[in-house]
Amino acid sequence: MPTKRILICSTPVGPLGSGVGGGVELTLHSLVLGLSGRGHHVEVVAPEGSLHVGARVHQIPGSYQVSSQTESRDAAIAMPPSPVLGAMWEWVRLHQQHYDIVLNLAYDWLPWFLTPFLQVPVAHLVSMASVNDAMDVALTELVVARPGSVAVHSFAQAETFPAVTERLRVLGNGIAVERYDLHATADEPRTLGFIGRISPEKGIDDVFAVAAATGLTVKAWGLMQHPSCWQAAQAAFPTASVSYEGFLPTDELQFAIGGCAAVLMTPKWVEAFGNVAIEAMACGVPVIAYRRGGPAEIVIDGETGFLVEPDDVAGLVDAVRRLSEIDRAVCRQQVVERYSTDAMAMRVDAWFDDLIRSNRRADASS
Ligand code: HBI
């Protein structure tokens, strides 16, 4: 296939660089790097105020979308006045003839609904597990209208959409491994790490429980999205030594986490993938994670960390005690082989080729 003109549409919950977009920001950066690295021309559409991401960013004004995962399952689809999401897809409609394919990273009803209205092929990389009934219906209708147009990061995530599990392409994810350095040994005294938005679904209370049970200090990095979660965990585990280290951009984060003895992942929801796991492993840091969601497909139990039965805090503590069994260089090697930007871009490019071909067949027969 010749080089492609690719337009990537970002999340409408906030500008790139704000951290509100969570893993999607890292995914977008990685895709810009990996797809450009394959010779394609890549541009981005994102809310105004977005940082430069190594490609031209078309900055669109408008009101941010509410985060889907904070909505209840039965919540109706809501759009704010002058929605940035609507303006972003109006921009796509007006400029679609300049692109071979559009990649949507927004976890939102509008782009899923609009896809059959557009001439340009639209590929959707879904960034979260199922969180809302109306969205699940829209996803099913999209997969029927445009077979092959929807991909996810993990099999566990696909299984949360039971109506279409088998029709979702599983792509994993990728990071710029060269931006991370191997820390061959952990700092002394040993510390544990937690990386993620401080939010109910991330299970920060279990992290406090591990700190209290092991007597180790845990350093926590991420957007303090719900301070009440943090305060409740502090109150529940007053002896736990957990320090909030703030939200760091990728380059600073890798220096901060590299010295950790392990990173804890204690999700209470089905984590679609777990970029944090591959970022930690890229630094040689083993991951101790609940056997739940994406991290369970990334961590090789006993080799790159440990998988623990969900919500089993005692199991997390046992795993901390076994960390000397892990070779930190193996953690990084796994990322180089399976989760680099090149490896992910190759999987995404093959997906685009299939989608462009099937769209051409559909156009020819219509
Ligand atoms: N909510 N409405 C909406 N749209 C998104 O694109 C979105 C979101 N919540 C969280 C989110 N994206 C990302 O932080 C996660 O998918 C990683």
Side-chain angles (χ1 to χ4, degrees):
M1 273 274 188
T3 60
K4 299 179 180 76
R5 298 164 301 165
I6 301 167
L7 179 66
I8 302 180
C9 292
S10 184
T11 172
V13 297
L16 287 168
S18 64
V20 179
V24 165
E25 295 198 27
L26 193 68
T27 300
L28 189 143
H29 268 263
S30 299
L31 288 171
V32 166
L33 206 55
L35 292 168
S36 307
R38 292 176 64 81
H40 299 310
H41 174 74
V42 185
E43 294 181 14
V44 173
V45 175
E48 75 180 351
S50 287
L51 293 183
H52 196 269
V53 287
R56 184 171 178 203
V57 181
H58 301 283
Q59 312 251 355
I60 311 293
S63 313
Y64 300 146
Q65 204 64 22
V66 169
S67 270
S68 302
Q69 79 269 28
T70 57
E71 300 279 4
S72 61
R73 279 216 69 89
D74 61 354
I77 300 299
M79 298 286 285
S82 310
V84 69
L85 183 60
M88 285 167 69
W89 284 86
E90 171 64 0
W91 194 96
V92 171
R93 183 181 70 81
L94 292 172
H95 299 84
Q96 59 180 314
Q97 70 275 16
H98 299 302
Y99 302 97
D100 300 304
I101 193 158
V102 173
L103 171 62
N104 170 51
L105 299 182
Y107 191 99
D108 286 282
W109 177 84
L110 186 66
W112 294 357
F113 180 74
L114 286 179
T115 296
F117 289 64
L118 295 163
Q119 287 71 46
V120 64
V122 183
H124 298 272
L125 179 49
V126 176
S127 62
M128 290 188 285
S130 163
V131 293
N132 173 275
D133 296 338
M135 294 284 283
D136 289 4
V137 169
L139 191 66
T140 301
E141 287 166 354
L142 170 59
V143 166
V144 169
R146 289 286 183 279
S149 67
V150 181
V152 291
H153 291 292
S154 71
F155 290 97
Q157 181 191 0
E159 284 160 12
T160 68
F161 300 103
V164 291
T165 301
E166 303 308 321
R167 304 169 72 174
L168 302 176
R169 194 170 183 124
V170 178
L171 293 178
N173 208 356
I175 56 171
V177 188
E178 61 280 4
R179 289 177 65 185
Y180 300 78
D181 297 316
L182 172 63
H183 294 245
T185 55
D187 292 348
E188 291 297 336
R190 291 196 312 166
T191 57
L192 299 173
F194 171 86
I195 309 158
R197 288 176 290 110
I198 308 300
S199 183
E201 70 271 11
K202 296 288 185 179
I204 192 75
D205 41 346
D206 291 355
V207 170
F208 274 74
V210 172
T214 60
L216 294 178
T217 292
V218 177
K219 291 182 176 178
W221 292 272
L223 195 65
M224 181 60 80
Q225 207 165 25
H226 295 86
S228 57
C229 291
W230 185 276
Q231 286 139 20
Q234 270 179 323
F237 301 97
T239 65
S241 165
V242 181
S243 72
Y244 177 60
E245 304 285 322
F247 168 73
L248 294 180
T250 301
D251 286 339
E252 292 170 52
L253 180 70
Q254 65 119 337
F255 288 115
I257 62 177
C260 289
V263 156
L264 298 171
M265 295 190 75
T266 54
K268 296 300 179 183
W269 68 339
V270 172
E271 193 80 42
F273 183 68
N275 289 327
V276 164
I278 58 176
E279 290 190 279
M281 287 163 55
C283 299
V285 180
V287 175
I288 296 173
Y290 286 150
R291 195 186 300 275
R292 176 184 275 154
E297 296 170 34
I298 297 169
V299 177
I300 301 172
D301 190 39
E303 277 192 46
T304 57
F306 297 101
L307 291 174
V308 172
E309 287 321 301
D311 312 322
D312 175 6
V313 171
L316 296 172
V317 174
D318 288 346
V320 170
R321 294 200 179 102
R322 295 179 53 199
L323 283 170
S324 58
E325 297 172 27
I326 303 295
D327 176 350
R328 291 168 68 99
V330 170
C331 297
R332 179 177 171 87
Q333 191 50 32
Q334 268 296 314
V335 181
V336 170
E337 287 167 9
R338 292 173 62 193
Y339 302 117
S340 67
T341 47
D342 291 347
M344 177 61 173
M346 194 180 303
R347 297 191 288 265
V348 169
D349 211 358
W351 175 37
F352 286 174
D353 288 343
D354 291 347
L355 191 52
I356 290 169
R357 258 196 299 274
S358 60
N359 265 55
R360 282 189 187 139
R361 277 200 300 274
D363 291 348
S365 60
S366 59

